[in-house]
Amino acid sequence: MARHGRFEIPGQHRRNAEPGPHRGELTAGLALGGPLLGRVIDRRGARIVLLITVAVQIACWLSVAVLPYPPLLAAAFAAGLLMVPAPIVTRQAIAAMTGAGQRRAAFALEAVQGELSYMVGPPIVILCAAQLPSGVVAWGVGAAIAAGGAGIALLNPPLRAGDEAPAAPADRPRRREWLGPRMIAVLVMAFGATIVLNGTDLAIVAALEEAGQVSWAALVVAVYGAASITGGLLYGALPRPLPTWLLLGLLGLVTIPAGLAHDWRWLCVAGCGAGLLAAPTLSALSDAVSRLAPASVRGEATGLQSSALGAGFALGVPIVGGAIDASGPAGGFAAAGLAGLAAALMGWLLSRRSPVRPRSVRGDAGLLGVSDAR
């Protein structure tokens, strides 16, 4: 789940600035469900949670086409609350199956995979929606989610390394012991990163609509995604990580000038610059969460990360959409970029407030960009 619904329908930026109830219910469910499911995974393991959520998704998606509107809202909330926790499980598995020297590259590949899913998935759904009844498309989406969850349950990847023994409930660290300023800094930056990414997509479509070039939207977004994939691969190959706040700050900084582009060609150029930093930023966030959270609460921490990403989407769309309505596409790019810069600054300030850290999470200094020598 590297991105959250990053495609907007041309001509709909005003309506998307005020998300419909069905989207709001689904997003609210996702925000609440991430930490809840992560905590259950920490205590009971991934397989049982995956199987339960797969069953819920099957029931929800089978009913979408036949439910009246009020029950549909409840079904959307239930689908979000009990969404198959694929990102939580996969990120825990990456942390468990890789050493400290390999983890950054592995999370970079995970971010690249997210970009590929984003580039391929929505066009397929849109094509199917144009050719098939909406109920069939909804069932197909539900079947894909259920199949993915069942496949992960069958594989049942390890969530802890060999030297990370499962902790008894009484031995779990208190939340205040690991949910400190550094973890909050990462969550704030995850929130800001999603505002930048989704806001950029919204502003791209608005800019092309204003120029009368909406038909080029798919190409511009594809260029952005290809640049992000390239950036993720390059970042994973670097010998040393870059601070998360620096990556996010640069992403916000290079997003703002995209508002000067009034043609699809220049938007492609701007997308290359911003895209190169998208996957690296997302992978650095996942890496930081995995290092800051003790193994016994890594699922809950990863769930909080997913909630922060979802919250950024829920609040970012109306913020950027409102800026577009007030001052045009350039205002949308500026709002998205400034949100990223603000989140990067807050992350940097919060990360400097905790010089003393548990021995188990001392590897996070390089990721957050704060030296131990204070």
Side-chain angles (χ1 to χ4, degrees), residues 73-166:
L73 298 182
F77 178 78
L81 184 68
L82 295 174
M83 178 60 68
V84 174
I88 299 175
V89 175
T90 54
R91 287 169 188 159
Q92 282 186 272
I94 288 172
M97 293 188 294
T98 57
Q102 302 170 323
R103 192 169 295 166
R104 177 170 50 85
F107 278 119
L109 287 176
E110 189 248 353
V112 167
Q113 173 272 325
E115 288 292 351
L116 288 172
S117 298
Y118 162 66
M119 293 175 65
V120 175
I124 291 176
V125 174
I126 293 171
L127 179 63
C128 291
Q131 304 293 329
L132 300 171
S134 59
V136 175
V137 177
W139 294 336
V141 171
I145 294 174
I152 299 174
L154 180 64
L155 293 172
N156 196 27
L159 304 184
R160 292 182 177 87
D163 58 348
E164 297 174 340

Side-chain angles (χ1 to χ4, degrees), residues 1-2 87 91 94-95 103 107-108 110-111 186 190 244 279-292 298 302 305 309 367:
M1 197 173 69
R91 287 169 188 159
I94 288 172
R103 192 169 295 166
F107 278 119
E110 189 248 353
V186 177
T244 307
T281 302
L282 294 173
S283 64
L285 290 167
S286 297
D287 194 4
V289 169
S290 72
R291 294 175 186 271
L292 285 166
R298 196 178 285 147
T302 307
Q305 177 194 0
L309 293 169
L367 287 168

Side-chain angles (χ1 to χ4, degrees), residues 226-250:
S228 180
I229 290 172
T230 302
L233 294 175
L234 292 175
Y235 181 71
L238 290 179
R240 296 186 62 183
L242 295 176
T244 307
W245 63 265
L246 178 60
L247 289 169
L248 177 58
L250 290 173

Side-chain angles (χ1 to χ4, degrees), residues 90-353:
T90 54
R91 287 169 188 159
Q92 282 186 272
I94 288 172
M97 293 188 294
T98 57
Q102 302 170 323
R103 192 169 295 166
R104 177 170 50 85
F107 278 119
L109 287 176
E110 189 248 353
V112 167
Q113 173 272 325
E115 288 292 351
L116 288 172
S117 298
Y118 162 66
M119 293 175 65
V120 175
I124 291 176
V125 174
I126 293 171
L127 179 63
C128 291
Q131 304 293 329
L132 300 171
S134 59
V136 175
V137 177
W139 294 336
V141 171
I145 294 174
I152 299 174
L154 180 64
L155 293 172
N156 196 27
L159 304 184
R160 292 182 177 87
D163 58 348
E164 297 174 340
D171 297 331
R172 285 171 54 91
R174 296 179 180 178
R175 191 173 286 111
R176 65 185 180 184
E177 295 178 8
W178 57 270
L179 190 56
R182 290 181 179 275
M183 181 65 78
I184 294 173
V186 177
L187 298 178
V188 168
M189 289 188 285
F191 173 78
T194 317
I195 293 180
V196 177
L197 296 176
N198 287 283
T200 298
D201 283 352
L202 193 61
I204 285 173
V205 175
L208 291 173
E209 181 185 13
E210 186 178 75
Q213 300 175 340
V214 177
S215 59
W216 293 98
L219 176 61
V220 175
V221 174
V223 169
Y224 191 107
S228 180
I229 290 172
T230 302
L233 294 175
L234 292 175
Y235 181 71
L238 290 179
R240 296 186 62 183
L242 295 176
T244 307
W245 63 265
L246 178 60
L247 289 169
L248 177 58
L250 290 173
L251 175 61
L253 189 63
V254 300
T255 297
I256 296 174
L260 300 175
H262 300 288
D263 179 83
W264 68 268
R265 299 172 184 85
W266 285 110
L267 281 172
C268 285
V269 174
C272 287
L276 285 171
L277 293 161
T281 302
L282 294 173
S283 64
L285 290 167
S286 297
D287 194 4
V289 169
S290 72
R291 294 175 186 271
L292 285 166
S296 57
V297 295
R298 196 178 285 147
E300 184 176 358
T302 307
L304 285 171
Q305 177 194 0
S306 295
S307 293
L309 293 169
F313 169 65
L315 295 179
V317 169
I319 290 172
V320 176
I324 292 172
D325 289 338
S327 55
F333 284 113
L338 290 173
L341 286 171
L345 177 61
M346 291 181 64
W348 177 72
L349 292 174
L350 284 169
S351 65
R352 292 176 61 86
R353 291 186 57 191

